[in-house]
Amino acid sequence: MLRKAAGRFVHSLCGTGLWLGTLFFAGSLTPSLVPRDALLQGVLSGLVFSVGYGLGALLRALWRFLQLPNFDEGRRGRWLKGAAAATCIGIAALFLWQASEWQNSVRLPMGLDPVESARPALVGVVAVMVALACLGLARLFRAVARLAANVVDNIAPRRLSVLAGLVIAALLFWGLASGVVLEAGIRALDSSYASLDDLVDDELELPSDPMKAGATASLLRWDDLGRMGRRAVAAGPTAAEIAGFTGGPALEPLRVYVGLNSAPSIEERVELAFQEMLRVGAFERAVLVVTTPTGTGWLDPASQMPLEYLHRGDVATVAVQYSYLASWLALMVEPTYGADTSELLFHRVYDHWHTLPKETRPRLYLHGLSLGALNSDLSVDLFDVIGDPFQGALWSGPPFPSRTWQKATTERQPGTPAWLPRFRDGSVIRFTGTEGAAEDAAAPWGPLRIVFLQYASDPITFFESGSAWRAPDWLATPRGPDVSSELRWYPIITFFQLGLDMALATTTPMGHGHVYAPEHYVDAWIAVTEPTDWPADRIEALKRHLAALVEA
């Protein structure tokens, strides 16, 4: 009975879909930018197989619609499908056997251990389960479309009723997916992230220093800073720690952070941040940084500490939280809220800074990581400040839609790689990564310095929707130092691979993917702010010191 059921199932499959689906499955096993574990590889492969199968089924439907000869009917059709299924299984097994080596070509350059020998079996089982689930969903869609077509068939010609059935089924499925499943998922995630943001870390106590945000003397309540805000304020190095490393005098770095719960509106939160800056004397420091958090409100300690050490604590940083959601979710739910917050904060700070004497005011910089980099970039129009520009910006891991990054990358000098481009003469915009190439430019810096810190293996930066139909420029040789030499472009497949890579971007070791290392921030901040009295040996010692702090 089981054999007969399996035979009927194989006979019900589309031969063209099997062939195309298997090719898609095989391509999905090839490497991309970041490592994938067996479970997620199986999910990806099952999904990509289903896409290929669906395209094959669509081609067969078109073939039949054009009333071309059929080759998959009767005994010959059953034999051909059985042979196709057996051949496809053999091809899939061959590529599964090779898949571990492909994954190791991604893992080893990142310093990760090789994958386990049992991996291919797990990938195959998960892929089959996902593919069967997708096939079941597709057949449910087909059944609904046929039912709707049969109803409409009573009042319309057959071909028109078939089209109407497809439209009705599509609308029904879309309504369920977006109005029920997606909405319920967003509500659940919103509630989860909100609870996480309110979570109080018992290890972080109310600051006793009156110059700290959230202290008793502060305009901000400690509990209102949110989990990420409290961490940001508490994570900074002390004056004693900086002095202990540098061997000279140091100041206590200032970190002003306003949480979502600090005030009900963007305008009020921005004004609170500005008044807190005046209270603690932020405009009296040598360096002032307007930084934009990620979607969750996180400020990366690996980015903040290098600047504070390099300038011996004479730094003030201000940030206003705009979301507690993950960056991708914040961008989907509230696409402009982060940019609006960042823009209002920048202009409030800049308008006051602009009135101060140039000889005594701090040097003003912008900074952001990931979604923070995108929103920070959107916060300023250079034409508004061209008469009195701020000193520069460091944007790390810029998401692929970032406007300035896109322009500089697209218009890069011929012959320079997309993962480390050179823009014009390098007097305004430079790029750096693991190689520390920000000082390699044809012209000296101008009055405004913009540095992009990016890794060649960062899918947040190098995802392209166009990868569905064309090869990304960063695949050309020479490739980035941590990009697999086995990576190839395949239509549609690469798009799905990079999509999963984005979800896994922060699972890489530090110094790869979307996890930026303090030693690379040291090079980037030196290029942007040009600190004094830092010989090469002390810079290398600082990198080792910060790496140890971040890993601890």
Side-chain angles (χ1 to χ4, degrees):
M1 182 178 293
L2 185 61
R3 183 177 179 181
K4 289 183 178 179
R8 287 195 299 269
F9 175 74
V10 171
H11 180 63
S12 71
L13 295 175
C14 168
T16 307
L18 279 177
W19 284 112
L20 198 55
T22 301
L23 291 177
F24 273 51
F25 172 84
S28 74
L29 296 170
T30 61
S32 54
L33 287 177
V34 300
R36 301 187 290 264
D37 63 28
L39 178 61
L40 290 175
Q41 177 65 71
V43 172
L44 172 68
S45 296
L47 178 62
V48 170
F49 170 86
S50 301
V51 172
Y53 182 90
L55 289 174
L58 185 63
L59 289 174
R60 185 186 68 169
L62 179 61
W63 184 277
R64 288 182 169 180
F65 179 78
L66 296 175
Q67 298 183 347
L68 296 173
N70 287 328
F71 300 101
D72 57 355
E73 299 295 336
R75 179 177 297 179
R76 182 178 63 177
R78 288 193 295 271
W79 185 89
L80 287 174
K81 285 182 181 179
T87 305
C88 289
I89 290 173
I91 294 173
L94 178 65
F95 276 78
L96 278 170
W97 175 77
Q98 178 64 29
S100 294
E101 290 302 317
W102 282 328
Q103 277 302 299
N104 287 337
S105 75
V106 182
R107 297 174 64 87
L108 295 179
M110 295 186 179
L112 295 172
D113 295 331
V115 297
E116 298 176 357
S117 59
R119 174 189 169 94
L122 179 57
V123 171
V125 170
V126 174
V128 168
M129 293 174 63
V130 171
L132 288 175
C134 291
L135 181 61
L137 192 62
R139 291 189 172 184
L140 177 61
F141 177 88
R142 184 179 65 183
V144 171
R146 284 179 175 176
L147 179 62
N150 290 336
V151 173
V152 178
D153 204 24
N154 296 321
I155 57 174
R158 180 60 187 170
R159 290 191 177 183
L160 184 59
S161 64
V162 169
L163 179 61
L166 289 172
V167 171
I168 292 171
L171 291 174
L172 179 61
F173 272 64
W174 174 257
L176 288 172
S178 61
V180 178
V181 178
L182 183 60
E183 186 176 342
I186 289 176
R187 281 201 304 266
L189 287 170
D190 181 80
S191 176
S192 175
Y193 278 110
S195 300
L196 190 62
D197 187 60
D198 290 335
L199 188 65
V200 176
D201 193 336
D202 294 334
E203 296 180 359
L204 302 180
E205 298 180 352
L206 180 73
S208 57
D209 183 353
M211 303 297 283
K212 296 281 189 181
T216 304
S218 172
L219 302 176
L220 306 165
R221 293 184 65 252
W222 180 246
D223 290 344
D224 291 341
L225 299 187
R227 186 172 67 101
M228 293 302 184
R230 292 188 290 270
R231 286 186 174 186
V233 172
T238 65
E241 290 170 339
I242 296 174
F245 177 81
T246 61
L251 296 176
E252 191 85 12
L254 298 176
R255 292 190 178 187
V256 175
Y257 189 104
V258 177
L260 270 176
N261 295 324
S262 297
S265 68
I266 298 177
E267 293 78 9
E268 290 173 282
R269 289 193 287 272
V270 166
E271 187 60 29
L272 259 179
F274 178 72
Q275 295 300 327
E276 182 74 358
M277 292 173 70
L278 294 179
R279 184 188 75 83
V280 299
F283 290 94
E284 298 167 15
R285 292 300 174 99
V287 174
L288 175 57
V289 182
V290 179
T291 188
T292 304
T294 64
T296 59
W298 182 57
L299 296 180
D300 187 1
S303 72
Q304 302 294 108
M305 290 193 295
L307 179 68
E308 292 163 345
Y309 270 89
L310 286 168
H311 292 275
R312 295 169 173 80
D314 200 2
V315 178
T317 302
V318 59
V320 174
Q321 186 182 13
Y322 56 88
S323 169
Y324 46 70
L325 302 173
S327 292
W328 65 271
L329 190 57
L331 197 58
M332 182 174 67
V333 175
E334 298 173 329
T336 65
Y337 205 68
D340 292 342
T341 301
S342 188
E343 181 179 8
L344 282 173
L345 177 61
F346 169 76
H347 282 287
R348 187 68 179 96
V349 172
Y350 177 84
D351 289 346
H352 178 75
W353 175 85
H354 176 65
T355 66
L356 300 176
K358 292 185 178 182
E359 299 78 18
T360 58
R361 70 187 184 187
R363 287 180 287 164
L364 179 60
Y365 299 95
L366 302 183
H367 175 56
L369 164 67
S370 191
L371 183 58
L374 184 148
N375 287 328
S376 180
D377 183 14
L378 293 172
S379 71
V380 59
D381 186 335
L382 293 180
F383 289 105
D384 292 338
V385 300
I386 196 68
D388 188 14
F390 57 96
Q391 275 62 55
L394 170 56
W395 291 318
S396 47
F400 62 94
S402 302
R403 60 179 185 182
T404 304
W405 177 88
Q406 277 196 343
K407 179 178 178 62
T409 302
T410 302
E411 300 179 11
R412 67 187 181 276
Q413 291 183 15
T416 61
W419 51 271
L420 195 62
R422 295 182 186 177
F423 179 67
R424 298 180 183 173
D425 63 0
S427 61
V428 178
I429 296 177
R430 299 182 190 179
F431 292 79
T432 186
T434 57
E435 306 301 318
E439 296 306 317
D440 187 11
W445 281 110
L448 175 64
R449 304 182 179 198
I450 297 175
V451 170
F452 288 102
L453 173 59
Q454 59 190 41
Y455 295 150
S457 58
D458 188 348
I460 300 297
T461 298
F462 292 109
F463 174 84
E464 290 185 24
S465 56
S467 62
W469 59 85
R470 67 170 183 270
D473 290 345
W474 47 262
L475 269 177
T477 53
R479 291 187 178 178
D482 56 353
V483 175
S484 170
S485 60
E486 300 294 327
L487 199 162
R488 300 289 184 271
W489 173 75
Y490 302 101
I492 302 176
I493 299 170
T494 299
F495 172 84
F496 281 94
Q497 288 179 316
L498 294 178
L500 179 59
D501 282 350
M502 285 201 296
L504 302 176
T506 58
T507 64
T508 61
M510 183 167 287
H512 305 279
H514 201 55
V515 186
Y516 287 84
E519 55 266 35
H520 300 138
Y521 272 115
V522 169
D523 292 329
W525 279 122
I526 288 175
V528 176
T529 65
E530 201 172 15
T532 58
D533 301 326
W534 279 95
D537 61 328
R538 294 302 295 159
I539 290 174
E540 293 304 314
L542 176 62
K543 290 179 180 180
R544 293 191 296 270
H545 176 68
L546 291 171
L549 288 178
V550 172
E551 291 175 1

